[in-house]
Amino acid sequence: MLSRLTRPQAVAVCALPVVALLATAALAPLPFSLAQPGMTANVLGENKGTPVITISGAPTRDTSGQLRMTTIEATNPDTRVSLGDVLDAWFDTDRAVMPRDSVYPSGQSTKEIERHNTAQMKESQDAATLAALNYLDLKDDDVKVTLKLADVGGPSAGLLFSLGIVDKLDGDGSGGDLTGGRTIAGTGTIDADGTVGAVGGVPLKTQAAKRDGATVFLVPKDECADAQAELPKGLRLVPVTTLKGAVSALVALETGKGSVPSC
């Protein structure tokens, strides 16, 4: 003879697999990385006691103000991220949940990823140098630029490297500084022809910029919406698409002449 379960008993029996599934999901590693605002560095100054930009073969100028490149800090590629971690970070404005593959190349070890990021940084520095020298109509076989930034990988400092080189060699073109004495921060890749590209993680980078004293943030134009999502108060966004446009925007901001683009 078959016995019938009461309704509460049936609900309890059916709930057991669901509870077990939720418990497993809460503990199982998920394909995400957790990120937060990282360090910033003034490319016009020193990083860990070493000048970020060193130039020989052409006269350089003293600069005022700061041009700060920005970063994010993400969990290591082998860190186990659980559902609980994701839920905690989801409601925290100082952290972000990002697909691991958008932060780290898939299928690579930590050492391989470090080598990849180092190679990207080197390529970015070479492109930034060429972009700046091309903008100033200088030859790279006459002017030697060395860029050093410890413990940072990837290509997202390209724009700020180029602006730093331009500022040290030519300033605003009329004897003034590109910064106008301000603390300017930003992000963006750059190609040798001066094209600025998107990078990701912009909302966290704006927080890092504001934390370290910036009042203006240069952002790739395509990432304006992302930058506006959680923009810190007192931080002005200036969208850019090229090195030339970024220089023009900073000169307009400094002199009060001409238009400064906005998101």
Side-chain angles (χ1 to χ4, degrees):
M1 179 180 294
L2 297 175
S3 61
R4 299 182 60 184
L5 296 176
T6 64
R7 183 179 181 83
Q9 290 173 326
V11 170
V13 170
C14 293
L16 287 174
V18 176
V19 171
L21 181 61
L22 291 175
T24 301
L27 297 175
L30 299 175
F32 295 110
S33 288
L34 305 182
Q36 63 186 23
M39 58 84 75
T40 72
N42 176 24
V43 300
L44 296 175
E46 295 184 348
N47 177 244
K48 295 189 175 181
T50 301
V52 177
I53 301 174
T54 303
I55 300 173
S56 60
T60 58
R61 52 188 303 280
D62 293 331
T63 59
S64 67
Q66 299 182 20
L67 287 170
R68 302 196 76 88
M69 55 77 65
T70 55
T71 67
I72 63 172
E73 293 179 1
T75 49
N76 292 329
D78 53 359
T79 298
R80 291 171 60 91
V81 177
S82 68
L83 179 60
D85 296 327
V86 170
L87 293 176
D88 286 343
W90 194 267
F91 297 101
D92 189 345
T93 58
D94 291 334
R95 292 192 295 168
V97 180
M98 305 174 70
R100 186 176 295 161
D101 289 350
S102 72
V103 181
Y104 300 110
S106 60
Q108 294 188 8
S109 68
T110 299
K111 288 186 177 180
E112 289 172 332
I113 290 170
E114 289 175 352
R115 286 195 293 267
H116 173 78
N117 286 340
T118 299
Q120 279 195 316
M121 172 60 90
K122 180 62 169 62
E123 291 173 4
S124 173
Q125 291 175 338
D126 292 344
T129 299
L130 286 175
L133 296 183
N134 288 338
Y135 172 79
L136 296 171
D137 292 324
L138 296 173
K139 301 295 185 181
D140 62 346
D141 53 355
D142 296 323
V143 181
K144 180 174 177 56
V145 178
T146 302
L147 302 173
K148 290 186 178 180
L149 193 56
D151 302 327
V152 177
S156 66
L159 171 62
L160 272 295
F161 281 143
S162 288
L163 288 172
I165 296 167
V166 171
D167 202 16
K168 282 184 171 291
L169 288 171
D170 194 51
D172 65 358
S174 302
D177 296 305
L178 280 183
T179 64
R182 298 178 176 85
T183 297
I184 310 289
T187 190
T189 65
I190 199 160
D191 293 336
D193 64 1
T195 301
V196 175
V199 291
V202 170
L204 297 176
K205 292 179 179 179
T206 58
Q207 293 181 46
K210 178 63 177 178
R211 179 198 66 206
D212 290 352
T215 57
V216 176
F217 191 88
L218 302 174
V219 60
K221 186 176 181 180
D222 289 344
E223 294 184 292
C224 265
D226 289 344
Q228 288 175 309
E230 295 176 1
L231 184 66
K233 291 182 179 180
L235 188 64
R236 179 176 183 174
L237 290 179
V238 176
V240 296
T241 57
T242 64
L243 174 59
K244 182 178 180 179
V247 171
S248 296
L250 291 180
V251 171
L253 191 65
E254 174 205 356
T255 62
K257 299 177 181 179
S259 61
V260 180
S262 59
C263 287

